Amino acid sequence: VSLQMMKHAWDNYKRYAWGLNELKPISKQGHSSNLFGNIQGATIVDALDTLYIMEMKEEFKEAKEWVEKNLDFNVNAEISVFEVNIRFVGGLLSAYYLSGEEVFRKKAVELGEKLLPAFNTPTGIPWALLNIKSGIGRNWPWASGGSSILAEFGTLHLEFVHLSHLSGNPVFAEKVMNIRKVLNRLDKPEGLYPNYLNPSSGQWGQHHVSIGGLGDSFYEYLLKAWLMSDKTDEDGKKMYYDAVQAIETHLIRKSSGGLTYIAEWKGGLLEHKMGHLTCFAGGMFALGADGAPSDKTGHHIELGAEITRTCHESYDRTRMKLGPEAFRFDGGVEAIATRQNEKYYILRPEVIETYMYMWRLTHDPKYREWGWEAVEALEKHCRVDGGYSGLRDVYNNHESHDDVQQSFFLSETLKYLYLLFSEDDLLPFEHWVFNTEAHPLPVLHRDDGNKEENQK
Ligand code: DMJ
């Protein structure tokens, strides 16, 4: 089924928006997001590995040809360093490791080099935004007095380690190891990492902490850096398990109805709200269970399972059976969005991603059942003639489509659905870690210093 869904999403992108970043499935034209400046083809690069894994050979071939002929980084564009890294660098790296085609390696390294000027700050903590022609960087104007964002500069590690591995140039890995160093030198309030860090002063901005937006994939990459290093990156491991300990103490709560959730922390005060983005943490806790210190393996699996149940409830308590952008545990509600501007669903993957991890790690059939509920809901409410669209209000009786087919729908949502219903030996966890955009990167095994053989 996810293969049919991929075909529908891809064919319509091809028909109406080929070469542009994303598809507007209602108005049947291209959609350009300023996250990528005028780098083009986000959907193509994001979808390459999904096409490969689903064995859509014709489509993979035309995507590869587009990359060869048209993917161009010599443009005057101000881009989001984080978004371009996770989608473009990550997408190209995976396409290379899966297919062995040199063009993807070359383009990934070329793009990595374009991103390097972002690290030219007094501390080496990179800017959020970079003009890849002039090399001038800056931060989002809204981010706490000129700060960089934890989830942005903390989500470069996996890709940059691979860029050094594939180019033989240590500079990429050095840049991300320096980020670690800066973080390790700083005092952390209650052991927590604030979402904002000023790249000039090297001091934290506002003490807001989140496992959802602005924080999320920083934690994910600590764990995955350790796993990707064949469990040699002890520093990443320690930072991950210490962070989880602080998160459990200060952010994780249980509602009166018995639902475990992860709240947001604002200078010591809790906001009892959980984002859709935060739902990835169910899978993360389960994935990290195996390495958990002091006999906590079972506990981390259980924590993952409880978060997953809560996120499933956030879907089940809507009219459309797809979850809202954020849901609350206050004012007499549990796992329900109460504000109009939090009721939308933009084809996000995190809940399905977590079902996939929980399924692989426990084989409890309920995760496939819940995944199937999501497939039915996507088909019923998001599928339109011209592709798949997000929804403005998942509690409404009638669909109001937002007219965007996000590139992560093809790279993540559909790939995780496909894996959820595949055997465990397709991209097995011993050999692959997924970047935060669901692009698989191989574990760098200790004994194969020069590893090129692809374990699929
Ligand atoms: C994706 O780009 C990545 O999963 C990122 O980590 C968070 N936001 C979207 C999906 O929701």
Side-chain angles (χ1 to χ4, degrees):
V1 177
S2 40
L3 205 148
Q4 289 310 317
M5 296 171 81
M6 182 69 181
K7 214 163 159 30
H8 185 66
W10 178 261
D11 286 348
N12 281 289
Y13 166 76
K14 192 175 144 190
R15 187 166 314 135
Y16 301 117
W18 184 247
L20 303 173
N21 280 327
E22 290 173 318
L23 164 69
K24 285 163 93 76
I26 303 285
S27 42
K28 301 184 175 170
Q29 58 184 25
H31 173 71
S32 49
S33 149
N34 52 8
L35 296 172
F36 318 118
N38 46 15
I39 298 183
Q40 296 295 327
T43 294
I44 298 179
V45 179
D46 237 0
L48 279 165
D49 54 7
T50 307
L51 295 172
Y52 190 92
I53 294 159
M54 293 185 179
E55 299 183 54
M56 294 170 65
K57 299 207 168 118
E58 263 311 298
E59 289 85 349
F60 181 80
K61 191 164 154 256
E62 63 203 6
K64 185 192 128 195
E65 282 166 10
W66 185 89
V67 169
E68 269 164 351
K69 294 202 190 98
N70 301 294
L71 184 60
D72 183 11
F73 305 128
N74 293 311
V75 287
N76 183 4
E78 188 181 59
I79 52 103
S80 156
V81 174
F82 160 78
E83 296 288 355
V84 165
N85 176 62
I86 66 170
R87 301 192 202 207
F88 284 83
V89 178
L92 291 165
L93 287 171
S94 288
Y96 171 67
Y97 281 113
L98 290 168
S99 72
E101 300 274 4
E102 174 64 14
V103 57
F104 299 128
R105 191 191 69 87
K106 220 183 88 214
K107 294 270 180 194
V109 175
E110 183 191 329
L111 179 54
E113 283 165 358
K114 290 268 178 202
L115 297 181
L116 287 174
F119 294 83
N120 294 337
T121 63
T123 53
I125 295 290
W127 299 113
L129 298 165
L130 177 73
N131 182 304
I132 55 172
K133 182 159 188 220
S134 66
I136 294 175
R138 66 181 177 112
N139 274 338
W140 299 105
W142 48 262
S144 192
S147 291
S148 301
I149 307 275
L150 183 69
E152 297 198 322
F153 66 78
T155 310
L156 306 169
H157 200 100
L158 305 182
E159 296 81 3
F160 275 53
V161 165
H162 270 290
L163 286 175
S164 279
H165 181 74
L166 287 180
S167 66
N169 183 348
V171 66
F172 303 103
E174 284 163 14
K175 296 291 181 198
V176 291
M177 289 318 292
N178 177 63
I179 296 176
R180 285 267 187 89
K181 232 184 272 158
V182 173
L183 290 173
N184 277 325
R185 272 203 303 264
L186 279 165
D187 276 340
K188 286 159 267 304
E190 311 285 353
L192 296 165
Y193 291 85
N195 294 336
Y196 302 105
L197 177 58
N198 190 301
S200 304
S201 66
Q203 298 302 312
W204 299 117
Q206 271 174 315
H207 284 195
H208 289 183
V209 176
S210 174
I211 314 307
L214 309 182
D216 49 8
S217 40
F218 160 70
Y219 304 95
E220 175 185 353
Y221 271 35
L222 293 176
L223 172 63
K224 290 181 176 176
W226 174 60
L227 295 173
M228 199 179 84
S229 71
D230 201 10
K231 307 191 176 172
T232 58
D233 178 359
E234 290 294 332
D235 201 37
K237 177 183 189 187
K238 179 168 181 347
M239 289 171 80
Y240 173 72
Y241 290 106
D242 286 353
V244 171
Q245 183 69 52
I247 290 164
E248 275 209 74
T249 310
H250 298 286
L251 271 62
I252 299 191
R253 295 291 178 267
K254 199 171 223 162
S255 70
S256 48
L259 295 178
T260 300
Y261 62 96
I262 313 179
E264 310 252 312
W265 195 84
K266 302 222 156 127
L269 294 177
L270 283 187
E271 189 180 11
H272 297 272
K273 156 183 149 177
M274 185 163 167
H276 191 288
L277 291 165
T278 318
C279 288
F280 88 98
M284 178 179 73
F285 291 142
L287 182 66
D290 208 20
S294 46
D295 300 327
K296 289 252 182 90
T297 300
H299 173 70
H300 281 219
I301 291 272
E302 188 46 36
L303 193 55
E306 286 191 29
I307 298 295
T308 313
R309 183 164 73 92
T310 299
C311 290
H312 175 254
E313 285 300 316
S314 81
Y315 274 47
D316 204 45
R317 295 176 187 197
T318 69
R319 176 82 63 167
M320 303 205 176
K321 306 291 173 194
L322 290 164
E325 180 68 4
F327 43 94
R328 301 198 173 245
F329 297 85
D330 58 15
V333 305
E334 300 200 351
I336 290 179
T338 51
R339 305 187 182 185
Q340 195 52 42
N341 65 359
E342 295 174 348
K343 295 183 177 172
Y344 63 89
Y345 172 68
I346 56 169
L347 305 173
R348 286 199 192 280
E350 291 76 17
V351 174
I352 290 168
E353 169 183 352
T354 272
Y355 294 161
M356 191 280 292
Y357 280 101
M358 294 308 302
W359 162 256
R360 280 243 181 138
L361 296 161
T362 69
H363 290 129
D364 183 332
K366 75 173 174 239
Y367 299 115
R368 280 189 164 170
E369 286 158 24
W370 292 351
W372 191 252
E373 292 170 10
V375 167
E376 289 182 321
L378 285 165
E379 290 300 277
K380 187 153 173 213
H381 302 293
C382 300
R383 187 186 179 111
V384 292
D385 274 355
Y388 288 87
S389 168
L391 298 163
R392 294 214 172 83
D393 183 348
V394 289
Y395 298 91
N396 219 316
N397 284 326
H398 302 288
E399 294 95 11
S400 170
H401 291 118
D402 70 3
D403 200 14
V404 183
Q405 177 175 285
Q406 305 280 344
S407 78
F408 53 67
F409 183 65
L410 292 88
S411 72
E412 296 198 71
T413 313
L414 295 179
K415 187 187 290 124
Y416 286 134
L417 274 175
Y418 188 76
L419 293 174
L420 173 62
F421 294 101
S422 298
E423 298 300 317
D424 297 353
D425 61 1
L426 179 62
L427 300 175
F429 291 170
E430 310 93 90
H431 297 309
W432 297 90
V433 298
F434 293 88
N435 93 336
T436 196
E437 188 80 359
H439 296 305
L441 299 170
V443 171
L444 296 169
H445 289 288
R446 306 170 208 214
D447 46 3
D448 53 19
N450 186 16
K451 50 148 307 320
E452 221 71 310
E453 94 265 32
N454 291 330
Q455 291 120 328
K456 283 174 214 147

